[in-house]
Amino acid sequence: MTNGQVSIEKNTYYDVTFEDLTHDGAGVAKIDGYPIFVPNALPDERAKIKVIKVKKGYGFGKLIEIYEKGPYRVDAPCPVYKECGGCQLQHMSYEGQMVAKQKQVQEVLTRIGKLKNIKVHPVLGMEKPWRYRNKAQVPVADREGGLAAGFYQQRSHEIIDMEACMIQQEKNDEVVQTVKRICEKYGVKAYDEQNHRGTLRHIMARYGLVTGEIMVVLITRTKDLPNKNKIIDEITEQIVGVKSIAQNINPKKTNVIFGDETNVLWGEEYIYDNIGEIKFAISARSFYQVNPEQTKVLYDKALEYASLTGKETVIDAYCGIGTITLFLAQNAKQVYGVEIVPEAIEDAKRNAILNGIDNVEFAVGEAEVVIPNWKKDGIHADVIVVDPPRKGCDDALLQTIIEMKPKRVVYVSCNPATLARDLRILEDGGFETVEVQPVDMFPHTVHVECVAQLILKEGN
Ligand code: SAH
């Protein structure tokens, strides 16, 4: 590949200095202006690399030797960090991760969103950024003398046994190990992907951070689970706090974890957890935020940006199980939530009743279809909150927001690139982005969540 004066060849070695980090955590170095992405390298590091792929405008390399470490380089604390791939930034200090995530958001909003001088606050991170996940879904395999439960080795289907995951609640690690031993004891065979035989596919553990309640789900290929009652007895004896044991049956040849049928084997259908003042019922298949501590931080910020006085009508688009909706309802006159998954809306309605909240209404459907219909029916929102999936908001929804002219829009986003694209559309439609607050929901991974506040510009 020729780039101006230089020609960069595959399989050649270069000494480079890294300047930046990509959104997926690779280091970026430039060889005479030609960017090379190198996994595991960090900004301000000087290193020898080998070029392994050359494309038109950029290439990929492999880190061979670090001559000078960057200021944020640390030894990854997890012993299986490299094989697992669940985390991508453990080789960077948490302080460094916060700096990098803030910079990434700022850069993307400026470049893609063309938002000049946009105020992006420092990332709200965790005081103790470990052991935060409240849900473990662990694949199981047969090994000589028992079962392995752990993770798929990167880019393979090999299951590596693992006793502890450093971003998982300790309680979940304990539950998985206990259930694994009990299933071993009663001769349960693990699912064998190649031959589509065996029984136990995954063990799932869920932990209510505030309530301490535990749910165990055994995901099996067949409905038949040998020694089912003995397994249940031992789980209830050995796991303190267990409130629900369920079985999900997935007979298909698939990478998808869950099948369609779920049966409660013992105890309750739900466990409970709280985020702030709101209580949630969580079933085996319910979506629930995996880092509840930071979810509270995120929702408090969304609530602050909504600036509610109790008189407003609010729409919560992409509402899931109504988490944000119920949070907003505490300070609004009326909140309308819309979500595409019918089961999530059932959960949302149940959670509203559970909390005695009656100023909410939920609808199943596409936000971009339901909200224009609400508008036709004469519903006017003072504030609209959106929390879309990674692909961002549908354009039809953004156009409806522009036509509806709410006083404020609060945009909760898990993807800075689509946030930037959508903020540009809303800006062109008469809104102004006041500020953006990144929140670290997933320490040691490359993900970053943001909340943005927009106000309707005067004269619109
Ligand atoms: N606000 C919720 C969930 C956000 S995740 C919470 O914080 O818990 C995004 C949600 O958008 C998912 O529940 C997904 O099912 C839903 N979704 C995806 N596309 C949609 C669409 N076109 N219309 C409405 N909801 C949609």
Side-chain angles (χ1 to χ4, degrees):
M1 175 59 52
T2 312
N3 184 287
Q5 305 298 308
V6 282
S7 88
I8 288 152
E9 302 282 340
K10 202 176 147 174
N11 292 329
T12 48
Y13 293 82
Y14 289 89
D15 287 345
V16 297
T17 301
F18 288 93
E19 299 171 11
D20 211 346
L21 209 60
T22 64
H23 67 277
D24 50 8
V28 187
K30 287 195 179 132
I31 305 171
D32 289 296
Y34 178 84
I36 302 263
F37 304 127
V38 181
N40 203 32
L42 293 176
D44 300 321
E45 297 197 314
R46 225 166 52 75
K48 175 190 270 191
I49 63 155
K50 180 180 178 185
V51 175
I52 53 171
K53 203 180 220 176
V54 177
K55 295 199 157 211
K56 195 152 183 229
Y58 57 92
F60 294 93
K62 192 174 168 211
L63 192 60
I64 302 297
E65 187 190 343
I66 302 176
Y67 299 129
E68 239 171 82
K69 288 181 182 173
Y72 298 125
R73 166 78 55 180
V74 293
D75 289 331
C78 174
V80 292
Y81 171 56
K82 284 207 178 111
E83 292 164 278
C84 166
C87 299
Q88 304 83 34
L89 293 177
Q90 278 199 26
H91 59 289
M92 194 176 204
S93 68
Y94 194 54
E95 186 201 346
Q97 293 176 27
M98 296 293 90
V99 172
K101 288 182 182 187
Q102 198 252 1
K103 190 167 168 234
Q104 186 210 338
V105 173
Q106 183 93 52
E107 194 271 326
V108 165
L109 292 179
T110 311
R111 181 168 50 83
I112 300 178
K114 308 267 180 298
L115 295 158
K116 288 195 198 92
N117 306 319
I118 179 80
K119 195 201 278 178
V120 178
H121 292 284
V123 180
L124 293 171
M126 296 186 82
E127 217 170 286
K128 291 196 193 110
W130 299 100
R131 297 285 186 190
Y132 58 84
R133 282 186 66 96
N134 61 3
K135 182 174 82 169
Q137 298 177 142
V138 180
V140 184
D142 276 326
R143 287 286 183 278
E144 222 160 288
L147 295 172
F151 60 91
Y152 290 108
Q153 189 171 30
Q154 274 203 77
R155 289 178 285 277
S156 93
H157 266 219
E158 182 75 13
I159 292 168
I160 310 281
D161 199 39
M162 174 177 59
E163 292 199 354
C165 167
M166 299 185 64
I167 61 167
Q168 192 58 251
Q169 289 284 343
E170 256 151 339
K171 197 74 203 172
N172 284 341
D173 279 346
E174 214 180 292
V175 169
V176 171
Q177 290 303 314
T178 307
V179 172
K180 180 179 95 169
R181 278 196 303 272
I182 295 169
C183 288
E184 256 168 17
K185 177 172 164 189
Y186 290 104
V188 176
K189 288 272 173 232
Y191 174 60
D192 164 6
E193 198 174 41
Q194 296 252 301
N195 302 303
H196 197 54
R197 281 205 215 112
T199 308
L200 187 59
R201 299 174 73 125
H202 280 78
I203 300 168
M204 171 173 162
R206 251 180 168 170
Y207 176 67
L209 185 66
V210 174
T211 59
E213 296 185 356
I214 291 166
M215 172 181 279
V216 175
V217 186
L218 302 171
I219 298 121
T220 57
R221 181 179 68 88
T222 51
K223 187 159 185 171
D224 182 49
L225 175 65
N227 294 309
K228 191 187 277 177
N229 291 336
K230 286 182 187 154
I231 292 171
I232 293 168
D233 284 351
E234 291 227 14
I235 291 176
T236 56
E237 275 161 28
Q238 291 188 37
I239 299 174
V240 180
V242 68
K243 287 278 181 293
S244 169
I245 306 174
Q247 180 185 8
N248 173 275
I249 300 144
N250 185 359
K252 294 197 186 128
K253 275 190 177 176
T254 169
N255 288 338
V256 176
I257 298 178
F258 286 94
D260 295 334
E261 186 182 343
T262 307
N263 301 313
V264 177
L265 300 181
W266 178 90
E268 310 291 324
E269 185 179 351
Y270 302 95
I271 59 166
Y272 295 93
D273 197 25
N274 289 61
I275 299 177
E277 300 294 308
I278 312 282
K279 187 172 185 176
F280 294 94
I282 310 153
S283 71
R285 299 303 314 280
S286 294
F287 169 84
Y288 185 62
Q289 293 279 356
V290 295
N291 183 345
E293 189 185 329
Q294 287 300 85
T295 301
K296 165 120 183 18
V297 173
L298 183 75
Y299 292 175
D300 278 344
K301 194 42 87 174
L303 196 57
E304 181 195 317
Y305 282 173
S307 309
L308 302 176
T309 62
K311 295 198 189 106
E312 293 82 1
T313 299
V314 184
I315 289 176
D316 180 17
Y318 309 90
C319 73
I321 61 163
T323 14
I324 297 179
T325 328
L326 299 179
F327 240 68
L328 296 165
Q330 302 173 101
N331 292 346
K333 186 170 109 204
Q334 176 75 28
V335 190
Y336 295 89
V338 52
E339 157 66 44
I340 201 164
V341 176
E343 293 80 11
I345 288 294
E346 279 169 36
D347 280 354
K349 288 180 179 166
R350 182 175 307 106
N351 288 328
I353 294 168
L354 185 66
N355 290 282
I357 293 175
D358 55 13
N359 57 338
V360 289
E361 218 172 278
F362 291 104
V364 179
E366 291 172 314
E368 60 272 23
V369 174
V370 172
I371 296 174
N373 284 338
W374 281 343
K375 185 169 173 284
K376 273 190 217 130
D377 293 344
I379 294 172
H380 173 78
D382 302 296
V383 179
I384 297 183
V385 179
V386 297
D387 181 8
R390 289 191 65 75
K391 67 173 198 256
C393 291
D394 191 277
D395 192 57
L397 174 63
L398 295 171
Q399 295 313 323
T400 306
I401 294 174
I402 289 166
E403 284 164 27
M404 211 183 237
K405 299 187 194 299
K407 286 199 281 286
R408 281 178 293 284
V409 174
V410 179
Y411 194 131
V412 182
S413 159
C414 55
N415 182 349
T418 53
L419 172 68
R421 178 199 68 197
D422 292 351
L423 290 183
R424 170 48 44 214
I425 295 170
L426 291 169
E427 290 252 343
D428 292 342
F431 290 89
E432 182 191 332
T433 312
V434 182
E435 57 186 73
V436 177
Q437 175 64 64
V439 178
D440 193 29
M441 302 279 280
F442 310 102
H444 313 293
T445 76
V446 289
H447 298 287
V448 57
E449 199 91 8
C450 290
V451 200
Q453 186 193 43
L454 295 97
I455 53 170
L456 189 66
K457 277 190 270 199
E458 263 176 55
N460 280 282

